[in-house]
Amino acid sequence: MKYLKAAVKETQRLYPSAVVNSRILDEDIEIKGYNVPKGTYIMMNSYTASRDPKIFDNPDEFQPERWLQNEKKYHPFASLPFGHGTRMCVGRRLAQQEMYLLLSELIRNFRLVPTKPNVGSICGLTIHPESSVEPKLIDRRE
Ligand code: HEM
């Protein structure tokens, strides 16, 4: 389960469903020396932050192990697939529970074999696969 959670986290780092998160500032703030006044509409691009080589080593590589080595290695805001704060995703726990349940049951019972070499992704309002993934499911009891 530890590895599965790390794999889900790593998938969401590389492909955050909500690419951009936004806020209207309710107070003046300073970001890296820039004064940003109250009322400004600001956007945070999760996709870019998640692939920043200054934050993640080998940022484009799928490495679930990075989340198992040393949890404190990355800033807790380095990857925020469910947002943060009072308006963060209210369905986070439900979504995570469903992903862990579905994946653990699938993997326990089947071997998943890819049938397509590489499925790209499309970045719109959300990120989604450019075509269906269609893995072959082979019953582990066979
Ligand atoms: C993998 C699945 C999901 C992802 C990646 C996701 C991601 C997000 C993100 C990034 C936000 C914006 C958070 C922010 O502005 O800080 C959000 C908001 C929200 N999500 Fe999700 N979500 C998921 C599943 C769900 C589910 C299953 C539900 C409901 C059962 C849900 C309900 C909501 C609601 C109601 C908000 C608005 C919260 C607010 O504005 O106060 N989400 N989600």
Side-chain angles (χ1 to χ4, degrees):
M1 282 308 287
K2 269 189 186 165
Y3 192 83
L4 177 70
K5 286 182 179 182
V8 169
K9 196 166 174 161
E10 182 69 343
T11 306
Q12 289 190 293
R13 177 185 72 82
L14 285 167
Y15 302 100
S17 316
V19 189
V20 168
N21 204 349
S22 59
R23 293 287 188 271
I24 296 170
L25 296 181
D26 57 7
E27 58 184 73
D28 299 345
I29 60 166
E30 192 203 307
I31 304 174
K32 295 219 161 202
Y34 292 92
N35 293 317
V36 190
K38 175 182 171 174
T40 307
Y41 182 76
I42 61 160
M43 296 171 94
M44 189 199 88
N45 190 317
S46 292
Y47 188 91
T48 317
S50 286
R51 291 184 185 241
D52 187 342
K54 291 202 285 294
I55 304 174
F56 293 101
D57 22 82
N58 305 313
D60 294 328
E61 282 177 26
F62 181 74
Q63 293 177 348
E65 295 78 13
R66 70 171 83 240
W67 300 108
L68 299 172
Q69 288 154 3
N70 176 3
E71 281 226 12
K72 300 266 185 295
K73 184 173 174 187
Y74 301 112
H75 190 281
F77 289 179
S79 173
L80 290 173
F82 294 97
H84 182 73
T86 48
R87 304 307 299 266
M88 74 172 281
C89 178
V90 289
R92 175 181 181 167
R93 297 291 175 208
L94 177 67
Q96 286 178 319
Q97 194 74 358
E98 298 230 314
M99 286 191 281
Y100 301 152
L101 259 177
L102 175 69
L103 288 169
S104 58
E105 281 301 299
L106 259 180
I107 293 161
R108 224 158 43 87
N109 291 294
F110 301 97
R111 275 193 305 118
L112 274 70
V113 181
T115 56
K116 296 178 179 179
N118 249 324
V119 177
S121 57
I122 294 177
C123 190
L125 187 61
T126 57
I127 291 188
H128 56 273
E130 66 183 351
S131 67
S132 56
V133 181
E134 295 170 32
K136 193 169 164 192
L137 271 64
I138 300 172
D139 197 322
R140 287 191 187 273
R141 290 166 303 184
E142 283 171 13

